[in-house]
Amino acid sequence: MTLADHDGQLNYQELVNHIYQTNTFDFVGLALKSDDFSRNIKWCFVAGNQSEQFRKIVLRSGIGIAGLVVRTGKPFWKNQLQCYSFADAMYTPIARVESLTSAASVPLVDSVTRQVNGVLLAGYRHDEKVSEQTTRRLSQYLRQ
């Protein structure tokens, strides 16, 4: 069973808090698609945030790390995030407002429709690197 199978029963904030507390990540967040049939993605559940600015971020499919994961349905990771500016295709607002230098992200897939409904992202503010192994570790939390 996956996390999506129990969508109404599980508390996403508890999941985010658990990942944050049991790992060395500086930030953990879960972004979900809006219920209004738009392609908007909003950060709803976070731990380790520096401010409340994440609440103002509204992304569309394909924008930034979260948008890319929603569009492709595949995990993604990137180091040296501070190198990207607003004009870059890989600009990621959550990394900017939370001062993340690296982040890994995995899709939250509905087991019935097989559609991506959200994104779980974890990142670092220091020189810690992320890799495919980081995305595998995050994916394990969604399978529990």
Side-chain angles (χ1 to χ4, degrees), residues 1-4 15 30 106-109 120 137-144:
M1 287 202 154
T2 66
L3 182 61
L15 173 69
L30 186 80
V106 295
L108 176 64
V109 180
L120 175 63
R137 192 169 72 211
L138 286 175
S139 294
Q140 292 291 19
Y141 287 103
L142 297 178
R143 291 190 191 113
Q144 294 177 355

Side-chain angles (χ1 to χ4, degrees), residues 5 15 22 59 64-65 67 75 82 86 92 99 103 109 136 141:
D5 291 334
L15 173 69
T22 59
L59 299 173
I65 292 176
Q82 68 278 11
F86 186 73
T92 181
S99 305
V109 180
R136 283 196 301 264
Y141 287 103

Side-chain angles (χ1 to χ4, degrees), residues 37-91:
F37 299 105
S38 70
R39 302 175 113 192
N40 292 341
I41 306 159
K42 291 188 89 169
W43 293 101
C44 302
F45 307 97
V46 302
N49 52 305
Q50 293 179 328
S51 71
E52 294 295 309
Q53 284 185 305
F54 72 90
R55 296 189 190 283
K56 296 178 183 176
I57 298 172
V58 179
L59 299 173
R60 291 186 55 87
S61 180
I63 305 295
I65 292 176
L68 182 65
V69 171
V70 167
R71 190 184 75 208
T72 64
K74 296 180 180 180
F76 185 81
W77 68 93
K78 193 73 174 171
N79 295 298
Q80 299 177 331
L81 290 172
Q82 68 278 11
C83 296
Y84 297 103
S85 70
F86 186 73
D88 293 320
M90 199 51 234
Y91 174 73

Side-chain angles (χ1 to χ4, degrees), residues 16-28 47-48 100 102 122-130 134 137-138 141:
V16 167
N17 290 345
H18 175 72
I19 295 168
Y20 179 74
Q21 292 168 355
T22 59
N23 290 276
T24 60
F25 298 120
D26 295 317
F27 175 86
V28 178
L100 300 178
S102 60
Y124 297 101
R125 293 187 183 100
H126 54 283
D127 290 332
E128 188 78 25
K129 301 286 185 208
V130 292
T134 312
R137 192 169 72 211
L138 286 175
Y141 287 103

